[in-house]
């Protein structure tokens, strides 16, 4: 008894890509409540980013919005530099930004393919590289964490479930799954933990067309044994735990946070 219990991410700085809406925004709010200072990355949705910063500040948290296209090397480098200048360190990266540009194979344009691969696969590579350089330079700060840094990829159940009509997206997430495992192996000797969360169906803008109609919602629910569509905070609670020392011996893992969607073939 006696000492006030420290929040699980107290004293740590997290950079979350695509945090102006949906899952990224949910992770930002949750990690701020758990004591982290939060860098909210956005590309086009400045209002959403500012609203997220304000929501965090209203609860007494600390946050900052930084604009960068995750697929643009120079912008990513500048973002990490600005984040470091603002908060002095970076301890956690959440590679969350992602898009869909759906079409059947025969109708898919090269632009649709490249845009999704650039945002969903090259973006996480560029951010992981910038974060790892930073974590290695910083080393372990014993007062805040047992690891030198943590990287969490927000992948998808479609990193293992094929998804006809979405070859660009499913391929990008399959690539993310291998990137995570390879980086977990490569970075473990540097005390950097790397893991993925693979969400099932979570109610956000990316799949609004699917859950906003009664038929779409019913179809979604038919694929979820747990019987409800997920909310961003379902992912955020797991992300905050995974980033904390409670998960200090977890690296190279994929957590399917999907209400059981991956238990049956689709
Ligand atoms: P969302 O559309 O609300 O969030 C995606 C965010 O990424 C947006 O804020 C968008 O502005 C941002 N973004 C897009 N391109 C960017 C770029 N080039 N640079 C920086 N930011 C960019 O949807 P969401 O569901 O919250 O998606 C978040 C992640 O979760 C994505 O990687 C998505 O693939 C993954 N995911 C979502 C679901 C789901 O059911 N919602 C399921 C599996 C995986």
């Amino acid at each position: 008894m006696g000492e006030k219990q420290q929040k699980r991410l107290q004293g740590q700085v997290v950079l979350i890509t695509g945090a102006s809406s949906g899952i990224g925004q949910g992770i930002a709010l949750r990690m701020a409540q758990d004591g982290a200072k939060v860098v909210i990355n956005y590309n086009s949705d400045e209002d959403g980013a500012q609203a997220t910063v304000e929501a965090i500040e209203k609860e007494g948290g600390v946050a900052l919005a930084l604009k960068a296209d995750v697929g643009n090397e120079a912008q990513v480098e500048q973002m990490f530099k600005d984040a470091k200048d603002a908060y002095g360190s970076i301890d956690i990266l959440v590679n969350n930004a992602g898009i869909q540009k759906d079409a059947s194979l025969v109708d898919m344009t090269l632009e649709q393919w490249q845009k999704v691969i650039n945002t969903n696969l090259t973006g996480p590579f560029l951010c992981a590289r910038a974060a790892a350089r930073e974590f290695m330079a910083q080393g372990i700060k014993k007062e805040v964490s047992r690891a030198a840094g943590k990287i969490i990829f927000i992948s998808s159940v479609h990193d293992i479930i094929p998804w006809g009509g979405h070859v660009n997206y499913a391929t990008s997430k399959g690539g993310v799954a291998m990137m995570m495992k390879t980086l977990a192996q490569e970075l473990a000797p540097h005390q950097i933990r790397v893991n993925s969360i693979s969400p099932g169906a979570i109610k956000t803008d990316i799949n609004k067309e699917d859950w906003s109609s009664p038929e779409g919602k019913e179809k979604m629910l038919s694929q979820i044994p747990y019987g409800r569509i997920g909310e961003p905070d379902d992912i955020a609670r797991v992300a905050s735990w995974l980033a904390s020392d409670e998960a200090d011996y977890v690296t190279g893992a994929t957590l399917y946070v999907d209400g059981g969607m991956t238990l049956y073939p689709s």
Side-chain angles (χ1 to χ4, degrees), residues 20-21 23 41 69-70 96 155 169 173 199-200 202 204 206-207:
S20 54
S21 64
I23 293 172
N41 159 253
D69 173 350
V70 293
N96 166 78
S155 184
Y169 184 85
K173 296 299 185 178
I202 310 296
T204 69
I206 212 170
N207 52 5

Side-chain angles (χ1 to χ4, degrees), residues 123-244:
F125 158 72
L126 291 172
C127 292
R129 189 182 65 176
R133 285 173 177 164
E134 194 50 48
F135 297 158
M136 285 179 195
Q138 279 172 192
I140 297 174
K141 293 181 291 167
K142 279 204 191 101
E143 64 287 2
V144 297
S145 179
R146 293 167 73 177
K150 281 87 55 159
I151 298 174
I152 298 172
F153 289 88
I154 303 301
S155 184
S156 164
V157 291
H158 295 294
D159 62 12
I160 49 162
I161 302 178
W163 203 18
H166 308 260
V167 68
N168 47 3
Y169 184 85
T171 304
S172 73
K173 296 299 185 178
V176 162
M178 185 49 77
M179 192 188 319
M180 182 280 289
K181 284 192 251 184
T182 299
L183 296 186
Q185 186 197 54
E186 183 174 327
L187 298 176
H190 299 276
Q191 266 61 57
I192 297 169
R193 296 194 293 108
V194 186
N195 294 285
S196 286
I197 296 174
S198 291
I202 310 296
K203 228 181 198 180
T204 69
D205 287 347
I206 212 170
N207 52 5
K208 197 170 185 175
E209 270 180 33
D210 301 321
W211 54 259
S212 50
S213 72
E215 314 80 64
K217 194 175 168 197
E218 200 176 316
K219 184 164 175 246
M220 263 183 151
L221 284 171
S222 72
Q223 297 169 341
I224 308 170
Y226 204 55
R228 71 171 172 86
I229 297 170
E231 300 287 341
D233 196 52
D234 286 312
I235 303 302
R237 291 191 305 277
V238 178
S240 188
W241 170 78
L242 199 47
S244 77

Side-chain angles (χ1 to χ4, degrees), residues 47-90:
D47 290 349
Q50 280 311 333
T52 312
V53 169
E54 279 162 28
I56 288 171
E57 288 176 344
K58 212 171 149 194
E59 292 186 351
V62 179
L64 159 78
L66 290 179
K67 180 175 164 67
D69 173 350
V70 293
N72 181 308
E73 186 176 24
Q75 291 180 23
V76 167
E77 295 296 316
Q78 188 62 46
M79 171 173 70
F80 275 81
K81 188 177 174 302
D82 292 346
K84 175 99 196 279
D85 286 349
Y87 291 141
S89 73
I90 299 163

